[in-house]
Amino acid sequence: MAPEILVSEVGPRDGLQSIKNILPTDVKKAWIAAEAAAGVREIEVGSFVPAKLLPQLADTAEIVTFAKTVPGLTVAVLVPNLRGAEAAIAAGADKLTLPLSVSETHSLANLRRTHEQVIDEARAIAELVASQPEGRRPHFEGSLSTVFGCTLEGTIPLAQILRLAEALMTAGCDEVGLSDTTGYADPKAVKDMIRAVRGAVGDASLTGIHLHNTRGLGLANVLAALDMGLTTVDASLGGIGGCPFAPGASGNIVTEDLVFMLQAMGLKTGIDLPRLLEVRKIIAGALPDEPLYGFTPDAGLPLGFVPETQTRSMEAAA
Amino acid sequence: MAPEILVSEVGPRDGLQSIKNILPTDVKKAWIAAEAAAGVREIEVGSFVPAKLLPQLADTAEIVTFAKTVPGLTVAVLVPNLRGAEAAIAAGADKLTLPLSVSETHSLANLRRTHEQVIDEARAIAELVASQPEGRRPHFEGSLSTVFGCTLEGTIPLAQILRLAEALMTAGCDEVGLSDTTGYADPKAVKDMIRAVRGAVGDASLTGIHLHNTRGLGLANVLAALDMGLTTVDASLGGIGGCPFAPGASGNIVTEDLVFMLQAMGLKTGIDLPRLLEVRKIIAGALPDEPLYGFTPDAGLPLGFVPETQTRSMEAAA
């Protein structure tokens, strides 16, 4: 049964790229396997960027190969360009995400590419994807990053964002995603942006969102996205990769808190929450110096809270 | 101009009663004055409980007297019974809140009173309030605590909650409030509970909510409450009183993050956010061992973010 809300775990990519320590390949595999066993259906396992830029993710090809052996798991990766996409497809990834920063200043600083150049990469990747044999074509998403504002440019004009969303779809992306890279979003901005981008590319071409918890609004922003009908939400186990000089100011939304909220609201995620909470131990054991975030893991589940998996068992028994 | 959303600061009561250190009376006064100067219109400054039970709040009468000298400030206090209400009225408080735990087990453990006995106190307090001369009658709220679930009883039957809400109104309360004492609420539960309680007592008799951030859902729950039309939200500066063994797992919602969310959404609070952020220094200086929470204070305001006060200036200039 497909979950109503797809929680897409991005810790092995977005979390690990933000910390100095390098998680050993075997621990990454154990993490991915344990989280998939807890019911997580999609994991962004790495990024095909040069190893000298992100040594933390140098083993991405090996991790993809491993993750492909995990039953029922959608193996997602980030690709910065055509070369990354070639490596991702060779490794067998199910989903490619190309980030396009809607702030051109940020795009130049981060990817060293203009908007025009990123759109050219998107077109080349889409052609590569289309040339793959039926059944082996990965899903290809263009992710609009800094879409809620940029630390260098501030607010980005909406017309520019919509033009870039349309350009990604015209280039051949299967869909676009929204990414609050800077943690600038608020619930009203989330609703307004989803409405505007869907107006430009169509409802079916925007289903997912990547939100940060930088200013504590992460889950409130998720709620706004759910209200608008989005069904895929990124999160990071233990909020790994949170900013070390700002305790609690995690970059990513904490997967455990997100799943608790969704299940408390009665939404089906397919995830066994008590089992998910156990997966933290794998990271805590391997990265003892790295803070893990999350409120639900500390507070525990409410008395009388019925985890989704038990609901399913009860329904099956009824 | 009245704010669209009334942020009710509860740190001097709910925050300070949860920590071991006693904040000196002069520091409490400085805190209250500074927060009012930043535009906060309502502050729960203390609780009229026996000093031996809560020595942290033993100076509540003096604090009320001081707070009454602050222009434009609604001075709220918690009262556990008629005796507390007498002291509160003698000191000149503008608003009295009587907690009624909808879990009778919790009510007995916490206030050592049955529901019947608390309703009797409510009736006696309402009579005392009504007997005050015109213009000196405080607002009297009955707060339904543990309304989203109890750590001792789990989920409380809705029929029992509605019966108690009606009983408080019949006893003479001006309104009822909802309090997520245990941090069990989720956005769907918040909406369902507001709908149900308003159905029982009328929309005008439920305008405020007291939410905790125990499982990280505090601001998402606020958003749900705003969607339902509530206009008063409790919060605690720096999340003071957060649980020390669960870093980040603050009890109360952090005022700074709440105000940031509201203003980012374009809602008027009447609060000068940069100035509010400065008030933290008063608490940090006086309670160096006490952790202060909040994401916005660590992350800072987004580039291009226009604080509400500047918006007002711009409107005035236009």
Side-chain angles (χ1 to χ4, degrees):
Chain A
M1 193 183 74
E4 290 174 286
I5 304 298
L6 178 66
V7 174
S8 181
E9 170 66 49
V10 299
R13 195 278 300 173
D14 200 9
L16 294 184
Q17 79 172 42
S18 310
I19 65 174
K20 211 177 54 188
N21 289 314
I22 297 181
L23 195 66
T25 304
D26 282 353
V27 180
K28 290 188 187 181
K29 291 179 183 175
W31 174 7
I32 291 164
E35 211 168 322
V40 173
R41 315 288 177 101
E42 179 173 302
I43 305 182
E44 195 174 64
V45 300
S47 182
F48 282 99
V49 291
K52 65 173 181 184
L53 287 182
L54 283 180
Q56 303 96 317
L57 306 181
D59 57 2
T60 293
E62 181 179 347
I63 295 293
V64 170
T65 303
F66 167 77
K68 282 296 293 173
T69 68
V70 177
L73 181 67
T74 298
V75 181
V77 293
L78 193 136
V79 295
N81 49 34
L82 176 62
R83 194 166 160 182
E86 287 167 347
I89 288 172
D94 299 312
K95 183 177 172 184
L96 318 181
T97 298
L98 172 76
L100 165 59
S101 181
V102 298
S103 155
E104 194 149 32
T105 314
H106 182 262
S107 183
L108 287 164
N110 206 38
L111 298 171
R112 281 172 294 178
R113 282 195 171 78
T114 64
H115 284 156
E116 185 82 25
Q117 288 171 318
V118 179
I119 297 293
D120 286 345
E121 294 287 336
R123 198 177 298 111
I125 295 169
E127 283 168 13
L128 175 66
V129 166
S131 73
Q132 299 305 303
E134 182 73 40
R136 289 189 49 197
R137 271 174 220 151
H139 190 76
F140 177 36
E141 178 182 309
S143 176
L144 298 161
S145 59
T146 69
V147 76
F148 294 101
C150 167
T151 49
L152 304 167
E153 286 196 27
T155 305
I156 308 299
L158 183 59
Q160 179 171 322
I161 293 169
L162 300 184
R163 185 173 53 72
L164 292 169
E166 287 167 355
L168 283 170
M169 293 305 294
T170 304
C173 287
D174 294 310
E175 68 175 305
V176 295
L178 302 179
S179 185
D180 182 21
T181 317
T182 52
Y184 278 22
D186 68 79
K188 181 172 183 299
V190 167
K191 289 191 177 183
D192 291 347
M193 188 61 69
I194 292 171
R195 200 176 288 115
V197 173
R198 282 190 151 177
V201 301
D203 287 7
S205 299
L206 172 61
T207 65
I209 194 160
H210 178 99
L211 293 160
H212 282 191
N213 197 34
T214 317
R215 287 167 182 83
L217 275 55
L219 293 183
N221 291 338
V222 168
L223 190 63
L226 298 178
D227 271 359
M228 292 297 293
L230 294 206
T231 50
T232 299
V233 183
D234 288 359
S236 173
L237 196 81
I240 189 87
C243 190
F245 56 81
S250 162
N252 287 292
I253 290 171
V254 175
T255 309
E256 301 90 311
D257 289 345
L258 171 64
V259 172
F260 170 66
M261 181 173 87
L262 296 172
Q263 294 193 358
M265 295 175 71
L267 294 165
K268 303 295 182 195
T269 64
I271 295 170
D272 183 329
L273 181 50
R275 198 162 171 183
L276 181 72
L277 291 168
E278 291 296 308
V279 182
R280 287 168 72 91
K281 291 179 186 165
I282 295 174
I283 310 173
L287 296 171
D289 302 335
E290 206 60 49
L292 291 188
Y293 302 98
F295 291 79
T296 306
D298 281 333
L301 297 175
L303 180 67
F305 180 78
V306 181
E308 183 184 326
T309 40
Q310 289 181 31
T311 315
R312 282 209 303 275
S313 314
M314 278 153 45
E315 279 164 4
Chain B
M1 192 183 75
E4 291 172 287
I5 304 297
L6 178 65
V7 173
S8 181
E9 171 65 49
V10 299
R13 195 277 301 171
D14 199 9
L16 295 183
Q17 77 172 43
S18 310
I19 65 175
K20 209 177 56 187
N21 289 314
I22 297 181
L23 195 65
T25 303
D26 283 353
V27 181
K28 289 188 187 181
K29 291 179 183 174
W31 174 7
I32 290 163
E35 211 168 322
V40 173
R41 314 289 176 99
E42 179 173 301
I43 304 182
E44 195 174 63
V45 302
S47 183
F48 283 98
V49 290
K52 65 173 179 185
L53 287 182
L54 284 180
Q56 303 96 318
L57 306 182
D59 57 2
T60 293
E62 181 178 347
I63 295 293
V64 170
T65 303
F66 167 78
K68 284 295 294 172
T69 68
V70 177
L73 182 66
T74 299
V75 181
V77 292
L78 195 135
V79 296
N81 49 35
L82 176 62
R83 192 167 162 182
E86 288 166 347
I89 288 172
D94 300 312
K95 182 176 172 184
L96 317 182
T97 299
L98 172 76
L100 164 60
S101 182
V102 298
S103 156
E104 195 150 32
T105 314
H106 182 262
S107 183
L108 287 163
N110 206 38
L111 297 172
R112 281 171 295 178
R113 281 194 171 80
T114 63
H115 285 155
E116 186 82 26
Q117 288 172 318
V118 178
I119 297 293
D120 285 345
E121 295 287 336
R123 198 176 299 110
I125 294 169
E127 282 167 14
L128 176 67
V129 166
S131 73
Q132 300 306 303
E134 181 73 39
R136 286 189 53 197
R137 271 174 219 152
H139 190 75
F140 177 36
E141 179 183 307
S143 176
L144 299 161
S145 58
T146 69
V147 75
F148 295 102
C150 167
T151 49
L152 304 169
E153 285 196 28
T155 305
I156 308 299
L158 182 61
Q160 178 171 323
I161 294 169
L162 301 184
R163 184 175 53 72
L164 292 168
E166 287 167 357
L168 283 170
M169 293 306 295
T170 304
C173 287
D174 295 311
E175 68 175 305
V176 295
L178 302 180
S179 184
D180 182 21
T181 318
T182 52
Y184 278 22
D186 67 80
K188 182 174 183 297
V190 167
K191 289 191 177 185
D192 291 347
M193 188 61 68
I194 292 170
R195 199 176 289 116
V197 173
R198 282 190 151 178
V201 300
D203 288 6
S205 298
L206 172 63
T207 65
I209 194 160
H210 177 99
L211 292 160
H212 281 190
N213 197 33
T214 317
R215 287 167 182 83
L217 275 54
L219 293 182
N221 290 338
V222 168
L223 190 63
L226 298 177
D227 271 358
M228 293 298 293
L230 294 207
T231 51
T232 299
V233 183
D234 289 0
S236 173
L237 197 81
I240 190 86
C243 190
F245 56 82
S250 162
N252 286 292
I253 289 172
V254 175
T255 309
E256 301 91 309
D257 289 345
L258 171 64
V259 172
F260 170 67
M261 182 173 86
L262 295 172
Q263 295 194 358
M265 294 174 71
L267 294 166
K268 303 296 181 195
T269 64
I271 295 170
D272 184 328
L273 181 51
R275 199 163 169 181
L276 181 72
L277 291 168
E278 291 297 308
V279 182
R280 287 169 71 92
K281 291 178 185 164
I282 295 173
I283 309 173
L287 296 172
D289 301 334
E290 206 58 50
L292 291 186
Y293 302 97
F295 291 80
T296 307
D298 281 332
L301 297 175
L303 180 67
F305 180 77
V306 181
E308 183 183 325
T309 39
Q310 289 184 32
T311 315
R312 283 208 304 273
S313 315
M314 279 152 49
E315 279 164 4

